[in-house]
Amino acid sequence: QVQLVESGGGLVQAGGSLRLSCAASGGTFSTYHMAWFRQAPGKEREFVAGIIWTGGRTDYVDSVKGRFTISRDNAKNMMYLQMNSLKPEDTAVYYCAASRSYYGTTTERYAYWGQGTQVTVSS
């Protein structure tokens, strides 16, 4: 029902910043729980950050707490991930995910996914 498109990835030096965006269309964005996942080469897809439909609760994996901030603008059908103090271990393909009924860290429970955007952090 909802289509998701990520943007904002790129190459950045360690210590730098990037802002990822997820644009939603085709559904009622404000009713969906949203999350960011990432997948590095040879590793399983990993939960990074989540935000409930109202924006009133956010969650982060421990490795990004204090550095990344998830937000959403329901009026614009947009979700964002502000990434500061980037480290080489943040290098991965970052994916936007959505679910009307699930909020959590389990990849398989999210029904809708974007195609991903590459983030590369050089040392």
Side-chain angles (χ1 to χ4, degrees):
Q1 184 179 0
V2 62
Q3 292 80 48
L4 306 173
V5 179
E6 304 95 337
S7 62
L11 175 64
V12 65
Q13 292 186 9
S17 297
L18 285 172
R19 189 192 194 199
L20 305 184
S21 298
C22 175
S25 62
T28 307
F29 177 74
S30 62
T31 68
Y32 286 86
H33 305 304
M34 303 291 294
W36 289 98
F37 288 78
R38 65 187 180 187
Q39 188 166 20
K43 299 183 68 176
E44 294 292 313
R45 192 165 297 187
E46 173 192 34
F47 172 84
V48 178
I51 185 166
I52 65 167
W53 67 284
T54 65
R57 174 179 171 175
T58 59
D59 297 274
Y60 301 89
V61 66
D62 286 345
S63 61
V64 309
K65 287 181 179 177
R67 300 189 297 120
F68 291 10
T69 302
I70 188 171
S71 62
R72 66 192 296 164
D73 186 340
N74 287 346
K76 296 181 178 180
N77 292 345
M78 296 289 291
M79 181 181 66
Y80 308 97
L81 185 68
Q82 178 66 47
M83 305 186 294
N84 299 326
S85 301
L86 282 161
K87 304 175 180 180
E89 49 263 47
D90 296 317
T91 296
V93 177
Y94 283 71
Y95 297 90
C96 176
S99 175
R100 183 178 289 273
S101 59
Y102 177 76
Y103 178 74
T105 63
T106 302
T107 303
E108 293 78 10
R109 296 296 304 274
Y110 284 87
Y112 304 100
W113 293 85
Q115 293 180 305
T117 186
Q118 177 71 49
V119 172
T120 303
V121 184
S122 62
S123 60

